Amino acid sequence: AGLDTVLLTGAAGTLGRMLRAPLGTACRRLILSDLRPLEGPLADHEEDRPCDLTDRAAVQRLLQGVDAVVHLGAHSVEAPFEQMARANLDGVFHLYEAARLAGTRRVVFASSNHVTGCYPQGHPLDPTDPARPDGYYGVTKLFGEGMAQLYWYRYGVESVCLRIGTCLPEPPDRRALSTWISPRDLFSLVCASLRAPEVGCLVTYAISDNPARWYSDTGWAQLGYQPQDSAEPWRDQVGDKVFPEDSLMARLQGGSFLGIGPFDPP
Ligand code: NAI
Ligand code: 15L
């Protein structure tokens, strides 16, 4: 079924720039929003609506008339808590509360593998396993998943929380042989997440069909996601980040994020 009005937050970021063009083919009207300026001219079906997610009233205006949101706007790497909290905690609250008020049907929330980044590499995981965030960033994504549950079970706003692995044109390192998702698989999963009937509040890992994966495919069949790509062909090419063998960065699923922090007070 065709979608009418879709809002893409974080539209000027790495994944926003990847998803902007293909997402435009999946809906009638695509509203693009970010703090930063967008690249290139707007297509006929696109609207540019700059907005700071930390501004509650502005987010409420942004969601008017929006049927579904792909929520990418966030601080996207590990950082001091104070930097993370405004976009990733306040921003997610503002987004969900505005979705409730606007009658928005569904949010596709960009969660992250870092929600479970403190599990050992190689440890098989399902979305129902307890969280083990590897930093403040992962904690904020877990908070976002909590908001998603609140707004579904209490207010009927549906969510698909995608625990995205590593989305780049090619797997950058050995860890990514497990965590990689190709840009076209991410697009297909986002589309499936927007279109699937009656998802309620669903959490799933967002990766390609990687034989070396740690994550289960729970949720993929319900959404109708069938990955086309695999990180395996890059096995012989990928270099490795050199971490001391017994370091958390080498041992745990979150990889290099385990090397960032703790932080001094601001
Ligand atoms: P990015 O950092 O390139 O893009 C995020 C965008 O959000 C930026 O353009 C930024 O300006 C915007 N933003 C930040 N604070 C904002 C605010 N207060 N108001 C409005 N906009 C704000 O990140 P990327 O890589 O594109 O990731 C997109 C989403 O997917 C993020 O939520 C990230 O946490 C998540 N994710 C990404 C993964 C990846 O492989 N790239 C893996 C797992 C999760
Ligand atoms: C993420 O959550 C980040 O947003 C992204 O920059 C990557 O580092 C990715 O995880 C990853 O774990 O590779």
Side-chain angles (χ1 to χ4, degrees), residues 13-15 34 36 51-53 72 74 76 111 137 141 164-165 167:
T14 308
L15 301 192
D34 204 300
R36 297 192 285 160
C51 177
D52 186 343
L53 292 163
L72 306 181
S76 63
S111 184
Y137 171 69
K141 293 297 182 180
I164 304 169
C167 188

Side-chain angles (χ1 to χ4, degrees), residues 76-77 111-114 137 141 164-167 175 179 254 257:
S76 63
V77 289
S111 184
S112 171
N113 71 86
H114 294 283
Y137 171 69
K141 293 297 182 180
I164 304 169
T166 303
C167 188
R175 169 178 171 271
T179 62
F257 276 41

Side-chain angles (χ1 to χ4, degrees), residues 171 174 177-178 211-212 231-239:
R174 193 177 46 83
L177 297 175
S178 303
E232 204 55 27
W234 278 273
R235 178 171 290 276
D236 294 335
Q237 260 159 270
V238 291

Side-chain angles (χ1 to χ4, degrees), residues 247-266:
S247 69
L248 297 180
M249 293 176 285
R251 282 181 27 231
L252 301 183
Q253 293 190 1
S256 62
F257 276 41
L258 276 306
I260 316 172
F263 306 95
D264 292 329

